[in-house]
Amino acid sequence: MRKLFVVAGLVATMVMSVLYAGTLAAAAAPRVTIKYAHCCPPDHTYGVYAHTFADKVKENSNGEIVVEVLDGGVMGTEQAIAQKVQLGTVQMGGVTSNNVAQLAPALNVLVMPYLASSPDDLTGEGGLLSSGPYRDELNKRVLAESGSLRVVGGFTNSFRSLFAKDKCISTIDDLKGLKIRAPKNPVMTAMWESWGVSTYPIAWGETFGAIATGVVDSFDSPTDVILNMGFHEHIKYITEATYLPLAAVVVINNDFMNSLSEADQQIILKSAEETDISHAKYVAENGARVREALTSEHGVTFCELKDADVWAEKARGAWPSLYSLVGGGKEWVDETLHYKETGELN
């Protein structure tokens, strides 16, 4: 009989333990889970933004909202990610603006060559991607054009640099004969054409293979991709230029956002703004580290662009042909320039 009592007691204890563990698990389960997709590895600038944002949301919601980061382009190309956020298959994404512009052409204003003169024009105080009047207006246009994409954050990865396997690109004439990969974006294509170049519109996820196999021998992107994504195995020459900073937007499906309580929406917006600010500082500090690692550890040569004024004159000369590719046309480009110069909208 005593053994029966002991066994019964053990069973009761085990049952209570299971119930208690279940209660704890239920209490610890988040109220909201958000899938956030992006193109790149966790240690790439896009990944750093995504995981910082996820940490901020967890902190600001006391763990009640969890952001599940989908790294490495597991949801497809950037254009595919933008489409999935538009459809609500994925709730959020951090996507380069030119790859969201297929759904919201107003974003093409951010890829007008030489419109921005420094990363601060995008992410500094009063920058085009910083929280404020301009981004509010940009968001209105993006939402109207896409039907369901809402801009809640923005970041840059510095200016796009020119990369080559076999030679320095020091003058515009050095572009001749190069097989250059560029994003499939009409504004960027027109920019390259103004320099006398026909590009290969290869998806970002296929670029490493295209470089490795010689399908292309040059492309442009912020410099840290060479270090963080292993391109230094093939790219040995980098020319840092100032024609176009990379502009990325953090978009959320608007229906999903509206399904959240006002308090939860504010947590997302607050977390995005905090991440925007900390990430801009990270990018500024990361540039020197990347350059040092590429030169000292991987034998990469940094080249000087000797005729930058020629590149700028030709690219700016193409602006009139680009207005029709920008949602809002010349009026929106002029509005952007006015805000950039004055900090105010017309």
Side-chain angles (χ1 to χ4, degrees):
M1 181 66 69
R2 183 179 178 185
K3 289 182 179 180
L4 288 175
F5 279 121
V6 171
V7 171
L10 289 173
V11 170
T13 300
M14 291 174 64
V15 170
M16 291 298 294
S17 296
V18 170
L19 291 174
Y20 181 65
T23 300
L24 287 178
R31 289 188 296 102
V32 178
T33 299
I34 301 172
K35 294 184 185 299
Y36 178 118
H38 70 99
C39 63
C40 302
D43 60 350
H44 180 266
T45 305
Y46 281 58
V48 170
Y49 186 101
H51 287 277
T52 302
F53 173 70
D55 290 343
K56 291 287 186 184
V57 169
K58 184 176 181 180
E59 176 186 346
N60 290 332
S61 69
N62 294 317
E64 293 185 1
I65 304 176
V66 170
V67 176
E68 179 184 342
V69 178
L70 305 174
D71 294 306
V74 296
M75 298 306 294
T77 65
E78 285 208 310
Q79 290 185 338
I81 291 171
Q83 290 171 338
K84 286 173 181 175
V85 177
Q86 182 190 40
L87 295 171
T89 308
V90 176
Q91 289 80 41
M92 293 188 72
V95 188
T96 312
S97 59
N98 53 272
N99 287 322
V100 188
Q102 58 171 335
L103 306 174
L107 286 165
N108 271 330
V109 73
L110 299 176
V111 292
M112 292 287 286
Y114 295 97
L115 182 142
S117 57
S118 75
D120 280 348
D121 286 342
L122 295 177
T123 57
E125 185 176 354
L128 302 178
L129 290 179
S130 298
S131 178
Y134 181 85
R135 201 178 77 190
D136 290 345
E137 178 61 27
L138 176 66
N139 177 56
K140 289 179 184 177
R141 292 170 182 258
V142 169
L143 184 55
E145 291 174 344
S146 68
S148 58
L149 293 177
R150 178 172 172 179
V151 178
V152 295
F155 59 96
T156 183
N157 194 7
S158 195
F159 276 93
R160 304 180 81 95
S161 295
L162 289 162
F163 310 129
K165 295 175 71 172
D166 303 316
K167 68 175 184 178
C168 272
I169 300 173
S170 299
T171 70
I172 201 165
D173 290 336
D174 291 330
L175 296 174
K176 294 177 181 177
L178 288 177
K179 296 177 290 185
I180 301 175
R181 176 268 174 190
K184 189 177 181 180
N185 174 272
V187 176
M188 298 176 79
T189 298
M191 177 188 73
W192 284 102
E193 288 175 346
S194 76
W195 296 330
V197 176
S198 296
T199 56
Y200 292 65
I202 296 171
W204 176 247
E206 300 171 4
T207 301
F208 187 92
I211 286 287
T213 58
V215 173
V216 294
D217 47 31
S218 179
F219 70 104
D220 73 339
S221 193
T223 303
D224 74 328
V225 306
I226 302 300
L227 179 65
N228 292 339
M229 301 185 74
F231 281 100
H232 53 75
E233 296 177 17
H234 308 288
I235 294 296
K236 295 302 176 183
Y237 299 93
I238 296 176
T239 305
E240 293 182 319
T242 58
Y243 57 84
L244 190 64
L246 182 146
V249 288
V250 180
V251 289
I252 191 168
N253 179 274
N254 193 55
D255 289 340
F256 171 76
M257 185 70 155
N258 288 337
S259 73
L260 302 177
S261 68
E262 180 62 27
D264 286 350
Q265 291 185 40
Q266 290 305 312
I267 286 171
I268 290 172
L269 294 173
K270 178 175 185 276
S271 300
E273 183 171 3
E274 290 174 349
T275 306
D276 287 352
I277 294 170
S278 66
H279 192 268
K281 182 179 179 181
Y282 164 81
V283 168
E285 295 172 347
N286 192 47
R289 180 191 69 84
V290 168
R291 182 166 180 145
E292 170 61 24
L294 286 171
T295 53
S296 64
E297 300 174 20
H298 301 292
V300 173
T301 298
F302 279 78
C303 313
E304 180 182 353
L305 196 62
K306 299 176 181 178
D307 58 347
D309 56 333
V310 175
W311 296 63
E313 181 181 359
K314 288 180 176 292
R316 288 194 179 112
W319 273 30
S321 67
L322 303 180
Y323 293 140
S324 63
L325 303 174
V326 178
K330 186 176 185 298
E331 173 270 329
W332 179 227
V333 175
D334 289 344
E335 181 83 3
T336 301
L337 289 171
H338 177 78
Y339 184 85
K340 179 175 170 287
E341 293 166 2
T342 67
E344 297 178 355
L345 294 170
N346 282 322

